[in-house]
Amino acid sequence: MAVGLGLSSGAFAQETVKIGVILPYSGPFADAANQLEAGIKLYMQQNGDEVAGKKIEIVRKDTGGPAPDVAKRVAQELIVRDQVDILAGFALTPEALGAADVSAEAQKLMVVMNAATSVVTEKSPYIVRTSVTIPQVNYVFGKWAAEQGGIKEAYTLVSDYGPGHDAESSFSKGFTEAGGKIIGSDKTPVANPDFSAFVQRVKDANPEAVYVFIPGGAQPAALGKALADRGLTPPDVKLFGQGELTHPEALESMGETAKGIITTFHYTLERDDPLNNEYVKAYREANNGRSPDLFSIGGYDGMHLIYEALKKTNGDASGDALLEAAKGMSWTSPRGPMSIDPETRDVVQTVYIREVKEVDGKLQNVIIHEIPDVKDPLHGAK
């Protein structure tokens, strides 16, 4: 009778797959966290909260980061106390690195939806990344700048942390291999930097071009203004950077001085594609008119990977089963074709080169070149 009752009650109880989302919901990167979560929410809104007969439950944890120690602690809490099946989120590299050991020890799938330092996926065999890597977009960008961008000398200015170091080294490597020369370099503090002194040093060096990398959030607009104040904008000086530099908010702040800035990115809001147009429309409707960004698309595609992996495993949420399901997965995202490299568990995707132009009276990033099927060059990419 006891066995019979157990089976009877179990038949009516729907199992739950819990996803522990770790993000800096408070602190200087709160906006990035909110954008990433908005991508998660939109995917669930469009695809429901049930997969393979399992109910999907999100358990959120705030790091207030960047705070790797906090990320590690809350990852442990999520697994031990909340009994989550999957770890996800990770807007910031230090926090992804902080939680990686926990993922490995607990043998839980960890979906990195933004953190973009190359080494992240190597820190746990259970990590899969659905965002981008810094070298992935910047190595090919450096080569393009020298071969097709018309510059032979450049000065680099990057944030002094993992992603900034990756950006500088990968852009410089691609640029110098293609015949360019780096004439100077500098690094700015990650938190609350005053860009004025750094930008002045760039101006004093009188470079032909400047390559910059800074985190998303409020910094792109602040750096853009500092560069414009000192005349370090096109056409006087060629300005290159990763896509955060020309986010819509930054473009609004820089105004006309943003024209001609050239950036590299894996997602372009204005890319005229039916799937992307539908995504942008739905995102704006769900977020009071705000447009999606790199954080949003990382969260959106991260949920796609989780849902599709669960479908493949028929709802088996064990780390090993989900990991095998994720390896080699490919799909068409609003960003374009993408896949997960089965060897590195890292994302493979198109890299876009964009230039800020005025279209219908509004500044936007216009795609001027596409480089398909790009891997992280530190993992043997072409």
Side-chain angles (χ1 to χ4, degrees):
M1 183 179 290
V3 172
L5 287 171
L7 289 172
S8 176
S9 62
F12 292 97
Q14 184 181 38
E15 292 184 51
T16 299
V17 173
K18 290 185 177 182
I19 304 172
V21 175
I22 299 174
L23 290 170
Y25 290 106
S26 62
F29 294 97
D31 187 66
N34 290 330
Q35 285 283 80
L36 196 152
E37 179 163 305
I40 293 174
K41 286 180 176 177
L42 179 60
Y43 190 87
M44 294 184 69
Q45 176 187 316
Q46 293 178 334
N47 295 276
D49 61 357
E50 293 182 16
V51 183
K54 303 291 183 72
K55 181 84 169 177
I56 303 298
E57 180 183 336
I58 303 293
V59 184
R60 297 166 178 81
K61 293 289 183 180
D62 178 23
T63 63
D69 292 343
V70 176
K72 181 174 184 177
R73 175 175 57 78
V74 297
Q76 291 169 334
E77 289 176 2
L78 283 165
I79 290 170
V80 175
R81 188 176 66 193
D82 298 297
Q83 297 187 318
V84 303
D85 303 287
I86 300 165
L87 295 173
F90 307 104
L92 306 171
T93 287
E95 297 185 351
L97 297 178
D101 286 346
V102 180
S103 157
E105 291 167 12
Q107 299 180 329
K108 299 288 186 182
L109 180 69
M110 176 171 158
V111 182
V112 173
M113 297 175 169
N114 186 67
T117 303
S118 184
V119 75
V120 165
T121 55
E122 299 173 18
K123 296 303 181 181
S124 165
Y126 289 88
I127 290 178
V128 176
R129 177 159 34 199
T130 60
S131 50
V132 64
T133 85
I134 304 292
Q136 180 180 53
V137 293
N138 284 289
Y139 174 73
V140 292
F141 188 39
K143 292 189 71 173
W144 182 90
E147 293 172 350
Q148 299 180 52
I151 63 168
K152 294 303 175 188
E153 294 184 343
Y155 192 110
T156 63
L157 179 65
V158 304
S159 290
D160 192 9
Y161 74 134
H165 303 162
D166 267 7
E168 179 183 40
S169 61
S170 54
F171 176 86
S172 298
K173 187 172 189 291
F175 186 61
T176 55
E177 284 180 2
K181 180 181 179 182
I182 302 297
I183 64 168
S185 62
D186 215 338
K187 295 180 174 65
T188 63
V190 179
N192 306 313
D194 178 356
F195 292 112
S196 56
F198 297 98
V199 172
Q200 185 58 51
R201 285 203 286 272
V202 176
K203 185 175 178 62
D204 292 343
N206 193 30
E208 177 187 3
V210 184
Y211 168 82
V212 301
F213 172 87
I214 48 174
Q219 291 193 29
L223 177 57
K225 184 177 185 305
L227 290 165
D229 287 346
R230 287 164 180 78
L232 293 170
T233 51
D236 302 314
V237 175
K238 292 195 174 183
L239 186 53
F240 294 83
Q242 193 168 291
E244 290 91 340
L245 183 64
T246 55
H247 273 175
E249 294 81 6
L251 288 180
E252 189 174 325
S253 175
M254 286 186 276
E256 290 295 303
T257 59
K259 280 186 181 178
I261 295 177
I262 296 175
T263 57
T264 182
F265 230 17
H266 61 296
Y267 176 63
T268 296
L269 168 70
E270 299 91 352
R271 190 172 77 93
D272 190 12
D273 169 85
L275 190 60
N276 185 49
N277 293 339
E278 180 184 330
Y279 167 71
V280 172
K281 181 175 182 290
Y283 190 93
R284 285 172 173 164
E285 288 174 353
N287 293 279
N288 299 314
R290 182 160 182 182
S291 297
D293 63 7
L294 81 156
F295 303 109
S296 318
I297 197 68
Y300 188 85
D301 282 320
M303 291 306 293
H304 177 92
L305 180 138
I306 290 171
Y307 274 46
E308 292 305 309
L310 284 167
K311 289 176 186 176
K312 281 188 177 183
T313 66
N314 293 316
D316 182 350
S318 65
D320 288 312
L322 290 174
L323 186 67
E324 288 308 308
K327 288 179 178 179
M329 186 183 290
S330 63
W331 67 98
T332 302
S333 156
R335 74 179 86 176
M338 62 183 292
S339 63
I340 302 300
D341 186 314
E343 301 298 322
T344 66
R345 295 163 280 108
D346 227 332
V347 62
V348 181
Q349 59 195 328
T350 299
V351 171
Y352 301 99
I353 312 295
R354 308 99 50 84
E355 181 176 353
V356 177
K357 297 182 180 181
E358 188 172 320
V359 180
D360 297 329
K362 184 179 180 182
L363 293 178
Q364 65 181 49
N365 294 292
V366 176
I367 295 170
I368 57 175
H369 193 76
E370 298 183 19
I371 308 169
D373 302 321
V374 179
K375 297 182 181 180
D376 183 311
L378 300 186
H379 294 311
K382 63 181 185 179

Short mmCIF file of all heavy atoms in Angstrom, two decimals, residues 16-19 50-56 85-86 109 303-318 321-322 325-326 329:
data_model
loop_
_atom_site.label_atom_id
_atom_site.label_comp_id
_atom_site.label_asym_id
_atom_site.label_seq_id
_atom_site.Cartn_x
_atom_site.Cartn_y
_atom_site.Cartn_z
N THR A 16 10.35 19.70 -10.77
CA THR A 16 10.83 21.04 -11.07
C THR A 16 12.32 21.00 -11.39
O THR A 16 13.08 20.30 -10.74
CB THR A 16 10.59 21.98 -9.87
OG1 THR A 16 9.20 22.06 -9.62
CG2 THR A 16 11.13 23.38 -10.15
N VAL A 17 12.71 21.77 -12.39
CA VAL A 17 14.13 22.01 -12.67
C VAL A 17 14.43 23.42 -12.19
O VAL A 17 13.84 24.39 -12.69
CB VAL A 17 14.46 21.87 -14.17
CG1 VAL A 17 15.90 22.31 -14.44
CG2 VAL A 17 14.25 20.45 -14.63
N LYS A 18 15.33 23.52 -11.23
CA LYS A 18 15.66 24.83 -10.67
C LYS A 18 16.94 25.37 -11.30
O LYS A 18 17.95 24.66 -11.40
CB LYS A 18 15.85 24.72 -9.15
CG LYS A 18 14.58 24.46 -8.36
CD LYS A 18 14.88 24.51 -6.87
CE LYS A 18 13.62 24.33 -6.04
NZ LYS A 18 13.90 24.43 -4.59
N ILE A 19 16.87 26.62 -11.70
CA ILE A 19 18.03 27.30 -12.29
C ILE A 19 18.44 28.43 -11.34
O ILE A 19 17.66 29.35 -11.10
CB ILE A 19 17.70 27.88 -13.68
CG1 ILE A 19 17.18 26.77 -14.61
CG2 ILE A 19 18.93 28.57 -14.27
CD1 ILE A 19 16.65 27.29 -15.93
N GLU A 50 7.58 25.36 -18.85
CA GLU A 50 7.61 23.91 -18.75
C GLU A 50 8.40 23.35 -19.93
O GLU A 50 8.20 23.76 -21.07
CB GLU A 50 6.20 23.32 -18.76
CG GLU A 50 5.38 23.67 -17.53
CD GLU A 50 4.00 23.03 -17.57
OE1 GLU A 50 3.80 22.10 -18.37
OE2 GLU A 50 3.13 23.47 -16.80
N VAL A 51 9.31 22.42 -19.63
CA VAL A 51 10.11 21.78 -20.67
C VAL A 51 10.22 20.30 -20.35
O VAL A 51 10.55 19.93 -19.22
CB VAL A 51 11.54 22.38 -20.73
CG1 VAL A 51 12.32 21.74 -21.88
CG2 VAL A 51 11.50 23.88 -20.90
N ALA A 52 9.96 19.47 -21.34
CA ALA A 52 10.07 18.02 -21.17
C ALA A 52 9.34 17.54 -19.93
O ALA A 52 9.83 16.68 -19.19
CB ALA A 52 11.55 17.61 -21.13
N GLY A 53 8.18 18.13 -19.67
CA GLY A 53 7.38 17.72 -18.54
C GLY A 53 7.83 18.27 -17.20
O GLY A 53 7.26 17.94 -16.16
N LYS A 54 8.85 19.12 -17.22
CA LYS A 54 9.38 19.69 -15.99
C LYS A 54 9.04 21.18 -15.89
O LYS A 54 9.07 21.90 -16.89
CB LYS A 54 10.91 19.54 -15.92
CG LYS A 54 11.40 18.10 -16.04
CD LYS A 54 11.05 17.29 -14.82
CE LYS A 54 11.60 15.87 -14.90
NZ LYS A 54 13.05 15.81 -14.74
N LYS A 55 8.74 21.62 -14.70
CA LYS A 55 8.49 23.04 -14.43
C LYS A 55 9.83 23.74 -14.24
O LYS A 55 10.70 23.25 -13.51
CB LYS A 55 7.65 23.18 -13.15
CG LYS A 55 7.31 24.60 -12.77
CD LYS A 55 6.09 25.09 -13.51
CE LYS A 55 5.58 26.41 -12.91
NZ LYS A 55 4.43 26.93 -13.66
N ILE A 56 10.03 24.88 -14.90
CA ILE A 56 11.27 25.65 -14.76
C ILE A 56 11.08 26.71 -13.68
O ILE A 56 10.15 27.52 -13.74
CB ILE A 56 11.66 26.33 -16.08
CG1 ILE A 56 11.80 25.29 -17.20
CG2 ILE A 56 12.95 27.13 -15.91
CD1 ILE A 56 12.88 24.26 -16.97
N ASP A 85 19.47 22.76 -9.98
CA ASP A 85 20.03 21.79 -10.92
C ASP A 85 21.07 22.41 -11.85
O ASP A 85 21.96 21.73 -12.35
CB ASP A 85 18.90 21.20 -11.77
CG ASP A 85 17.83 20.55 -10.92
OD1 ASP A 85 18.08 19.46 -10.37
OD2 ASP A 85 16.74 21.14 -10.78
N ILE A 86 20.91 23.72 -12.10
CA ILE A 86 21.75 24.43 -13.08
C ILE A 86 22.15 25.77 -12.50
O ILE A 86 21.33 26.44 -11.85
CB ILE A 86 20.98 24.65 -14.39
CG1 ILE A 86 20.54 23.32 -15.01
CG2 ILE A 86 21.80 25.46 -15.40
CD1 ILE A 86 19.47 23.46 -16.09
N LEU A 109 25.69 21.70 -14.46
CA LEU A 109 25.85 22.53 -15.64
C LEU A 109 25.86 24.01 -15.22
O LEU A 109 25.04 24.44 -14.42
CB LEU A 109 24.70 22.31 -16.61
CG LEU A 109 24.76 23.14 -17.91
CD1 LEU A 109 25.90 22.69 -18.80
CD2 LEU A 109 23.43 23.06 -18.67
N MET A 303 19.03 30.65 -22.13
CA MET A 303 17.80 29.92 -21.83
C MET A 303 17.45 28.98 -22.98
O MET A 303 16.96 27.87 -22.77
CB MET A 303 16.65 30.88 -21.55
CG MET A 303 16.80 31.64 -20.24
SD MET A 303 17.06 30.58 -18.79
CE MET A 303 15.47 29.73 -18.70
N HIS A 304 17.73 29.41 -24.21
CA HIS A 304 17.48 28.52 -25.35
C HIS A 304 18.30 27.25 -25.20
O HIS A 304 17.79 26.14 -25.39
CB HIS A 304 17.85 29.23 -26.67
CG HIS A 304 17.69 28.35 -27.88
ND1 HIS A 304 16.53 28.29 -28.60
CD2 HIS A 304 18.54 27.47 -28.47
CE1 HIS A 304 16.67 27.43 -29.60
NE2 HIS A 304 17.89 26.92 -29.53
N LEU A 305 19.57 27.40 -24.86
CA LEU A 305 20.43 26.23 -24.69
C LEU A 305 19.89 25.31 -23.59
O LEU A 305 19.83 24.08 -23.75
CB LEU A 305 21.86 26.66 -24.36
CG LEU A 305 22.84 25.51 -24.16
CD1 LEU A 305 24.17 25.79 -24.84
CD2 LEU A 305 23.08 25.22 -22.68
N ILE A 306 19.49 25.89 -22.46
CA ILE A 306 18.97 25.09 -21.35
C ILE A 306 17.71 24.34 -21.76
O ILE A 306 17.57 23.14 -21.52
CB ILE A 306 18.71 25.98 -20.12
CG1 ILE A 306 20.04 26.47 -19.53
CG2 ILE A 306 17.90 25.24 -19.06
CD1 ILE A 306 19.88 27.54 -18.45
N TYR A 307 16.78 25.03 -22.40
CA TYR A 307 15.53 24.39 -22.83
C TYR A 307 15.80 23.26 -23.82
O TYR A 307 15.23 22.16 -23.69
CB TYR A 307 14.60 25.43 -23.46
CG TYR A 307 13.72 26.19 -22.49
CD1 TYR A 307 14.25 26.73 -21.31
CD2 TYR A 307 12.36 26.38 -22.74
CE1 TYR A 307 13.44 27.43 -20.42
CE2 TYR A 307 11.55 27.08 -21.85
CZ TYR A 307 12.09 27.61 -20.70
OH TYR A 307 11.29 28.30 -19.82
N GLU A 308 16.62 23.53 -24.82
CA GLU A 308 16.89 22.52 -25.84
C GLU A 308 17.66 21.33 -25.27
O GLU A 308 17.44 20.18 -25.67
CB GLU A 308 17.65 23.14 -27.01
CG GLU A 308 16.83 24.14 -27.82
CD GLU A 308 15.53 23.56 -28.34
OE1 GLU A 308 15.58 22.46 -28.96
OE2 GLU A 308 14.46 24.17 -28.13
N ALA A 309 18.56 21.59 -24.32
CA ALA A 309 19.29 20.49 -23.68
C ALA A 309 18.34 19.61 -22.88
O ALA A 309 18.43 18.38 -22.91
CB ALA A 309 20.40 21.05 -22.78
N LEU A 310 17.41 20.23 -22.16
CA LEU A 310 16.43 19.47 -21.39
C LEU A 310 15.53 18.63 -22.30
O LEU A 310 15.15 17.51 -21.96
CB LEU A 310 15.59 20.40 -20.52
CG LEU A 310 16.28 20.93 -19.25
CD1 LEU A 310 15.49 22.07 -18.64
CD2 LEU A 310 16.45 19.80 -18.23
N LYS A 311 15.21 19.17 -23.47
CA LYS A 311 14.41 18.40 -24.43
C LYS A 311 15.18 17.16 -24.88
O LYS A 311 14.64 16.06 -24.99
CB LYS A 311 14.04 19.25 -25.64
CG LYS A 311 13.02 20.34 -25.35
CD LYS A 311 12.79 21.21 -26.59
CE LYS A 311 11.88 22.39 -26.28
NZ LYS A 311 11.73 23.29 -27.45
N LYS A 312 16.48 17.34 -25.14
CA LYS A 312 17.32 16.23 -25.59
C LYS A 312 17.44 15.14 -24.52
O LYS A 312 17.53 13.95 -24.84
CB LYS A 312 18.72 16.74 -25.96
CG LYS A 312 18.83 17.40 -27.31
CD LYS A 312 20.30 17.66 -27.63
CE LYS A 312 20.49 18.27 -29.00
NZ LYS A 312 21.93 18.45 -29.33
N THR A 313 17.49 15.56 -23.26
CA THR A 313 17.67 14.59 -22.17
C THR A 313 16.34 14.08 -21.62
O THR A 313 16.32 13.34 -20.64
CB THR A 313 18.46 15.22 -21.00
OG1 THR A 313 17.68 16.27 -20.40
CG2 THR A 313 19.80 15.78 -21.47
N ASN A 314 15.24 14.52 -22.24
CA ASN A 314 13.90 14.15 -21.74
C ASN A 314 13.71 14.56 -20.28
O ASN A 314 13.10 13.84 -19.50
CB ASN A 314 13.66 12.65 -21.91
CG ASN A 314 13.56 12.24 -23.37
OD1 ASN A 314 12.92 12.91 -24.16
ND2 ASN A 314 14.22 11.15 -23.72
N GLY A 315 14.28 15.71 -19.95
CA GLY A 315 14.07 16.26 -18.62
C GLY A 315 15.12 15.86 -17.59
O GLY A 315 15.05 16.28 -16.44
N ASP A 316 16.09 15.05 -17.99
CA ASP A 316 17.19 14.69 -17.08
C ASP A 316 18.05 15.93 -16.86
O ASP A 316 18.70 16.41 -17.78
CB ASP A 316 18.01 13.56 -17.68
CG ASP A 316 19.14 13.08 -16.76
OD1 ASP A 316 19.40 13.75 -15.74
OD2 ASP A 316 19.76 12.05 -17.08
N ALA A 317 18.07 16.45 -15.62
CA ALA A 317 18.79 17.70 -15.33
C ALA A 317 20.15 17.46 -14.70
O ALA A 317 20.76 18.39 -14.17
CB ALA A 317 17.94 18.59 -14.42
N SER A 318 20.65 16.22 -14.76
CA SER A 318 21.98 15.96 -14.22
C SER A 318 23.02 16.68 -15.07
O SER A 318 22.85 16.85 -16.28
CB SER A 318 22.27 14.46 -14.20
OG SER A 318 22.32 13.95 -15.51
N ALA A 321 24.43 14.74 -18.21
CA ALA A 321 23.46 14.59 -19.30
C ALA A 321 23.27 15.91 -20.04
O ALA A 321 23.28 15.96 -21.29
CB ALA A 321 22.12 14.10 -18.76
N LEU A 322 23.10 17.00 -19.30
CA LEU A 322 22.91 18.31 -19.93
C LEU A 322 24.15 18.75 -20.69
O LEU A 322 24.06 19.34 -21.77
CB LEU A 322 22.54 19.35 -18.87
CG LEU A 322 21.15 19.20 -18.24
CD1 LEU A 322 20.98 20.21 -17.10
CD2 LEU A 322 20.05 19.39 -19.28
N ALA A 325 24.33 17.03 -23.97
CA ALA A 325 23.30 17.57 -24.86
C ALA A 325 23.69 18.92 -25.43
O ALA A 325 23.34 19.26 -26.57
CB ALA A 325 21.98 17.68 -24.11
N ALA A 326 24.43 19.71 -24.64
CA ALA A 326 24.81 21.06 -25.07
C ALA A 326 25.96 21.05 -26.06
O ALA A 326 26.03 21.90 -26.96
CB ALA A 326 25.19 21.90 -23.85
N MET A 329 25.67 21.70 -29.96
CA MET A 329 24.35 22.24 -30.27
C MET A 329 24.48 23.45 -31.20
O MET A 329 25.38 24.27 -31.03
CB MET A 329 23.63 22.65 -28.98
CG MET A 329 22.20 23.10 -29.16
SD MET A 329 21.42 23.64 -27.61
CE MET A 329 21.28 22.09 -26.74
#
